[in-house]
């Protein structure tokens, strides 16, 4: 049978479109769904060949019908069968090497799943262009499903194409893949390709490619196959062998099995128990046949197209055939074959599967526990949790369970709950922990998980029980550190300092480095808020000085160390510490972990504040635009700082993707705050004020974010020429300075102080007063290194000085602001300064010589206009918005005192601006 692709040109074209987009730098995911035998594998095989022709590296992995027994099976399968260049590239990502045979998975210092995901993302980036195919997702384990979701969200600008296939007829109402598919199909990067039955004409064309067939036989095959190519192939094969055609696909498949010799049937039944694929030596051992008889039986099976050679073993030609043979086994026969495999296998996950199916409960319990530990080391917490729960369900039915498991039932149940939380199911972890005896260890984890779901009172109560029940110093240290953390932002926040100090002392006595680091960081945040910045620096430096053995804690320490430097205006030190933390995140594959992401957006903000906008824009290019989750939307929002500042074309697109997430407080604060500034730069203060009010609404009184929002809102009121609402905005800013978010005055860093002053100055501007000294204080306050905000404050200071009659001083401030705006390529600020300068007649009275007060960017635009380019062509050449070009052209005409583009080009030649 040649298996030519017939009747799938439309579906193939859609898949090739995803592949083509990946070639052009827009990553994509395709989900191919259809009934069993409908041709999913054949379609994807054609795509694989075309991808190779385009120069793609190809990874192909297959899921197996073992439930959650084997985590990351398709990824391991893909790496194991990959081309040499891919295997070589895996060497640069050792965490992935643990998936390959013969490699032990070493104990990991936490965040193992995030490390594995990050390592795969790094490998795909190294290999691009790359096509990664995952077949039979309906059998995927939980970690593989999580991996698919991660890749679908994270690959955006890489030359990466991910394709998954699944059976639609297997997806019952509660199938775990259904919710994943529903989530993925909403993403813009995901293309869904559904395969329906072939039409009668298409199926007829397909059958004729299989071999000689007369018209009567062809009609019978087409009428009975119901558009299913695999069913048609089996009908054709049965007819070719002279068999009568039974009803139903399962009966048809078994009719082809039953013509095998007794030895052939024996081997095929053993292969069906192994699953879709089995190694040659293992199959021979289980079959129990002498070597010569076994080889003859395998030749017979392969020659009839029931199995195919696959590496050093054999695979069923189609999963439906394996299922039919397995279903036909007698109960005792099935049990004995599973037991035979269990005697020969070494993989704990496979052992657990075969022991359970073979009714060996003691073996299943021991293997399940070991499989859980292996999954835990590999970074598959969902599978670890599943294996541990399986063992716990067998516990009461097995004598000597604790000896077989190597630990007590309580210890195993605790481990299962922790794995549930690590897989993202905090609620399940909380339920399981509450069902256990409330030891200190159990209560400490319970407090932590309750805190994660924002149950503050519950977390505090659990932490207190953890302290009360601690039986040794290490447990007490961890309980105290967690209790201090739960109290930090509660009405009982004053208790946090003493608790953290006690936790620190206890942790050092016990040698509990993780508890010590946690206590140091909690204490640092507390004393920072109280204004003892020097001590906060000292504490975070100590916390991050050496590894705790817990990567999450280490990254948390790096983040807070860099954050405190940044919030105190020490940008150089902040950059150094953030870079060190980012290196740790990249080296350990944790680029996309919580603190890995936090460190990267913090580094972006440091670039932004320090005036390193090209670097900031490069970092922001890695923040997703097409977001689908709140964490992605949060990260995406940060990019708006530089994109709005430069008026980049990406602003509108990014805001449109962020709009559905405006129910989240942090996303709203950042994205609507920047949307307000964008609206102000584009002459829409009413829209800006609407954004500001929406961003303020969810914030608690005293939140530091209110300072910037109040200042921007007052700027909008000044542009609107109204004082309505001005007093309220200023009152919010003053309350923040005086009371903070917990009701008492705390330390306010230099940026917070600068925004508070800016709000005061803007309030005066709303009332028509230009307070020169107040604006000087704003300039000075931002001058800790916040380059852009200094320039914006100088703009207002120049206006105030001009209004006060100090023209020379006003022009000096204007020139300094203009110089900064030009270096940053902060187009909206440049335009505002030039408009102000034009009205004030700064830099224009120079006769026919000089640059006429043009900015460097305007000279660039003028030269292209002189070449005869349209606004659209200029925008494409300079990678800026067409609207921005229009503003530049208007400014050029005004400054050169001409009315047409031709006159502007002539004036430019006279002044020597085109050389």
């Amino acid at each position: 049978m040649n298996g030519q692709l017939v009747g799938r040109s439309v579906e193939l074209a859609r898949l090739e479109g995803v592949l083509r987009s990946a070639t052009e730098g827009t990553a994509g995911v395709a989900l191919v769904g259809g009934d069993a035998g409908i041709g999913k594998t054949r379609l994807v095989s054609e795509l694989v060949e075309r991808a190779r022709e385009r120069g793609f590296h190809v990874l192909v992995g297959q899921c197996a019908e073992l439930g959650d027994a084997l985590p990351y099976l398709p990824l391991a399968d893909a790496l194991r069968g990959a081309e040499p260049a891919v295997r070589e590239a895996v060497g640069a990502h050792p965490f992935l090497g643990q998936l390959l045979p013969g490699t032990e998975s070493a104990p990991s210092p936490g965040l193992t799943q995030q490390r594995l995901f990050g390592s795969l993302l790094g490998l795909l980036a190294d290999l691009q262009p790359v096509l990664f195919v995952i077949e039979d997702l309906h059998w995927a384990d939980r970690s593989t499903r999580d991996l698919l979701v991660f890749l679908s969200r994270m690959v955006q600008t890489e030359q990466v194409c991910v394709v998954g296939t699944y059976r639609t007829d297997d997806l019952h109402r509660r199938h775990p893949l259904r919710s994943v598919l529903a989530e993925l199909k909403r993403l813009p990067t995901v293309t869904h390709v559904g395969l329906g039955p072939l039409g009668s004409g298409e199926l007829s064309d397909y059958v004729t490619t299989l071999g000689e067939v007369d018209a009567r036989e062809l009609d019978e095959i087409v009428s009975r196959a119901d558009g299913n190519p695999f069913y048609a192939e089996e009908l054709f094969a049965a007819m070719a062998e002279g068999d009568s055609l039974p009803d139903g696909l399962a009966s048809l498949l078994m009719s082809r099995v039953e013509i095998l010799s007794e030895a052939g049937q024996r081997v095929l039944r053993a292969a069906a128990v192994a699953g879709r694929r089995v190694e040659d030596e293992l199959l021979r051992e289980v079959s129990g046949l002498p070597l010569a008889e076994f080889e003859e039986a395998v030749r017979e099976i392969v020659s009839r197209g029931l199995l195919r050679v696959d590496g050093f073993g054999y695979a069923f030609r189609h999963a439906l055939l394996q299922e039919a043979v397995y279903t036909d086994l007698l109960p005792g026969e099935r049990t004995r074959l599973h037991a035979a495999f269990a005697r020969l296998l070494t993989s704990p996950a496979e052992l657990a599967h075969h022991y359970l199916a073979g009714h060996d409960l003691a073996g299943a319990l021991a293997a399940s526990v070991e499989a859980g530990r292996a999954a835990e080391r590999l970074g598959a917490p969902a599978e670890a949790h599943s294996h541990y729960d399986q063992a716990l369900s067998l516990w009461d039915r097995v004598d000597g369970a604790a000896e077989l498991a190597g630990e007590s039932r309580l210890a195993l149940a605790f481990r299962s709950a922790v794995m549930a939380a690590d897989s993202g199911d905090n609620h399940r972890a909380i339920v399981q922990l509450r069902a256990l005896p409330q030891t200190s260890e159990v209560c400490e984890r319970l407090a932590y998980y309750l805190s994660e779901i924002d149950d503050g009172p519950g977390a505090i109560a659990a932490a207190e029980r953890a302290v009360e029940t601690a039986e040794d110093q290490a447990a007490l240290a961890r309980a105290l550190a967690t209790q201090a953390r739960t109290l930090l932002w509660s009405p009982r926040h004053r208790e946090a300092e003493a608790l953290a100090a006690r936790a620190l002392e206890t942790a050092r006595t016990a040698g509990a480095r993780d508890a010590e680091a946690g206590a140091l960081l909690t204490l640092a945040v507390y004393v920072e808020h109280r204004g003892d910045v020097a001590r906060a620096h000292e504490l975070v430096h100590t916390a991050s000085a050496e590894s705790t053995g817990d990567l999450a804690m280490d990254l948390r320490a790096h983040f807070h160390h860099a954050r405190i430097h940044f919030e105190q205006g020490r940008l150089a030190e902040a950059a150094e510490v953030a870079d060190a933390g980012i290196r740790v995140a990249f080296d350990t594959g944790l680029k996309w972990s919580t603190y890995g992401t936090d460190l990267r957006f913090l580094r972006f903000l440091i670039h932004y504040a320090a005036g390193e906008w090209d670097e900031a824009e490069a970092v922001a290019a890695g923040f997703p635009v097409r977001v689908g989750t709140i964490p992605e939307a949060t990260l995406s929002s940060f990019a708006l700082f530089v994109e709005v500042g430069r008026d980049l074309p990406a602003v509108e697109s990014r805001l449109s993707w962020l709009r559905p997430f405006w129910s989240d407080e942090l996303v709203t604060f950042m994205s609507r705050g920047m949307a307000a500034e964008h609206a102000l730069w584009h002459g829409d203060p009413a829209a800006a004020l609407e954004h500001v009010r929406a961003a303020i609404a969810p914030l608690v009184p005293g939140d530091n974010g209110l300072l910037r929002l109040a200042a921007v809102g007052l700027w909008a009121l000044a542009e609107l020429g109204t004082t309505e609402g001005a007093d309220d905005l200023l009152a919010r800013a003053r309350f923040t300075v005086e009371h903070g978010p917990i009701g008492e005055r705390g330390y306010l860093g230099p940026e917070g102080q600068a925004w508070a002053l800016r709000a005061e100055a803007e309030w005066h501007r709303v009332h028509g007063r230009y307070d020169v000294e107040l604006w000087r204080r704003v300039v000075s306050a931002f001058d800790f290194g916040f380059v852009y905000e200094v320039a914006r404050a100088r703009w207002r200071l120049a206006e105030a000085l001009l209004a006060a009659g100090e023209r020379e001083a006003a022009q000096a401030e204007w020139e300094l602001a203009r110089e900064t705006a030009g270096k940053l390529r902060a187009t909206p600020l440049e335009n505002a300064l030039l408009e102000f300068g034009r009205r004030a007649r700064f830099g224009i009275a120079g006769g026919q010589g000089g640059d006429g007060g043009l900015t460097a960017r305007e000279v660039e635009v003028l030269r292209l206009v002189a070449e005869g380019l349209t606004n659209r062509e200029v925008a494409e050449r300079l990678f800026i918005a067409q609207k921005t070009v229009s503003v530049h052209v208007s400014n050029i005409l005004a400054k050169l005192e001409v009315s047409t583009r031709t006159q502007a080009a002539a004036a430019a030649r006279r002044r020597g601006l085109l050389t």
Side-chain angles (χ1 to χ4, degrees), residues 9-128:
S9 57
V10 173
E11 294 88 346
L12 181 60
R14 293 189 67 198
L15 290 176
E16 282 200 282
V18 180
L19 200 66
R20 186 167 52 253
S21 295
T23 307
E24 296 165 356
T26 301
V29 175
L31 299 172
V32 182
D35 288 351
I38 207 68
K40 301 180 292 297
T41 297
R42 181 64 191 85
L43 176 64
V44 170
S45 297
E46 184 70 24
L47 182 71
V48 164
E49 291 307 310
R50 299 196 180 194
R52 287 197 170 110
E53 291 171 4
R54 292 171 181 257
F56 274 67
H57 291 289
V58 176
L59 293 167
V60 180
Q62 195 158 40
C63 304
E65 195 176 9
L66 292 175
D68 284 347
L70 290 170
Y72 305 118
L73 178 62
L75 176 56
D77 186 37
L79 295 177
R80 187 167 49 239
E83 60 201 64
V86 175
R87 293 289 292 268
E88 184 179 345
V90 172
H93 304 276
F95 211 82
L96 291 174
Q98 297 182 93
L99 296 171
L100 296 174
T103 306
E104 288 293 324
S105 53
S108 170
L111 300 178
T112 47
Q113 186 169 63
Q114 293 95 319
R115 294 181 71 187
L116 190 140
F117 286 9
S119 295
L120 178 60
L121 206 57
L123 175 67
L124 296 179
D126 291 346
L127 291 174
Q128 57 183 319

Side-chain angles (χ1 to χ4, degrees), residues 9 155-156 159 274 387 461 464-466 524 576 610 612 747 764 783 789:
S9 57
V155 292
Q156 300 219 5
Q159 292 178 299
H387 285 303
E464 288 172 344
R465 286 197 303 273
E576 182 180 351
E612 299 161 353
Y747 178 77
H764 282 283
D783 205 16
E789 293 305 338

Side-chain angles (χ1 to χ4, degrees), residues 719-739:
E719 298 300 313
L720 286 168
T722 178
T723 61
E724 185 179 350
D727 290 351
D728 175 65
L729 288 172
L730 184 61
R732 289 175 184 270
R734 287 176 173 173
F735 183 90
T736 299
V737 173
E738 294 298 325
H739 300 282

Side-chain angles (χ1 to χ4, degrees), residues 447-461:
Y448 190 90
Y449 300 146
L450 287 168
S451 179
E452 290 287 295
I453 65 168
D454 296 324
D455 182 355
I460 292 170

Side-chain angles (χ1 to χ4, degrees), residues 747-768:
Y747 178 77
L748 199 59
E751 185 183 353
Q753 295 173 34
W755 282 110
L757 283 170
R758 168 92 179 261
E760 296 282 350
E762 292 284 2
W763 181 83
H764 282 283
R765 203 166 69 87
V766 169
H767 289 81

Side-chain angles (χ1 to χ4, degrees), residues 582-604:
I582 289 168
R583 280 194 298 274
V584 172
F586 272 74
D587 290 346
T588 55
L590 290 171
K591 170 183 174 182
W592 288 104
S593 68
T594 299
Y595 281 107
T597 302
D598 288 350
L599 280 162
R600 287 190 296 129
F601 80 61
L602 180 60
R603 190 63 182 93
F604 164 82

Side-chain angles (χ1 to χ4, degrees), residues 519-641:
L520 283 166
L521 293 173
T522 297
L523 194 55
V525 172
Y526 181 84
V527 300
E528 177 196 12
H529 182 73
R530 305 293 294 180
D532 193 347
V533 179
R535 189 174 176 216
H537 279 299
E538 178 186 332
L539 290 166
V540 292
H541 177 74
T542 303
S544 58
E546 59 183 85
S547 174
T548 65
D550 181 336
L551 282 171
M553 187 66 74
D554 291 344
L555 289 175
R556 180 184 165 202
H558 279 294
F559 171 75
H560 281 295
H561 195 184
R563 178 194 60 76
I564 292 175
H565 277 310
F566 175 70
E567 291 184 359
Q568 307 314 315
R570 297 166 62 171
L571 301 185
E573 294 95 329
E576 182 180 351
V577 175
D579 286 340
I582 289 168
R583 280 194 298 274
V584 172
F586 272 74
D587 290 346
T588 55
L590 290 171
K591 170 183 174 182
W592 288 104
S593 68
T594 299
Y595 281 107
T597 302
D598 288 350
L599 280 162
R600 287 190 296 129
F601 80 61
L602 180 60
R603 190 63 182 93
F604 164 82
L605 290 177
I606 295 166
H607 281 310
Y608 174 74
E612 299 161 353
W613 278 24
D614 288 341
E615 292 85 348
E617 189 176 335
V619 174
F623 296 171
V625 175
R626 300 170 295 175
V627 296
T629 66
I630 287 174
E632 290 171 14
T634 302
L635 187 60
S636 179
S637 299
F638 281 95
L640 289 168
F641 283 97

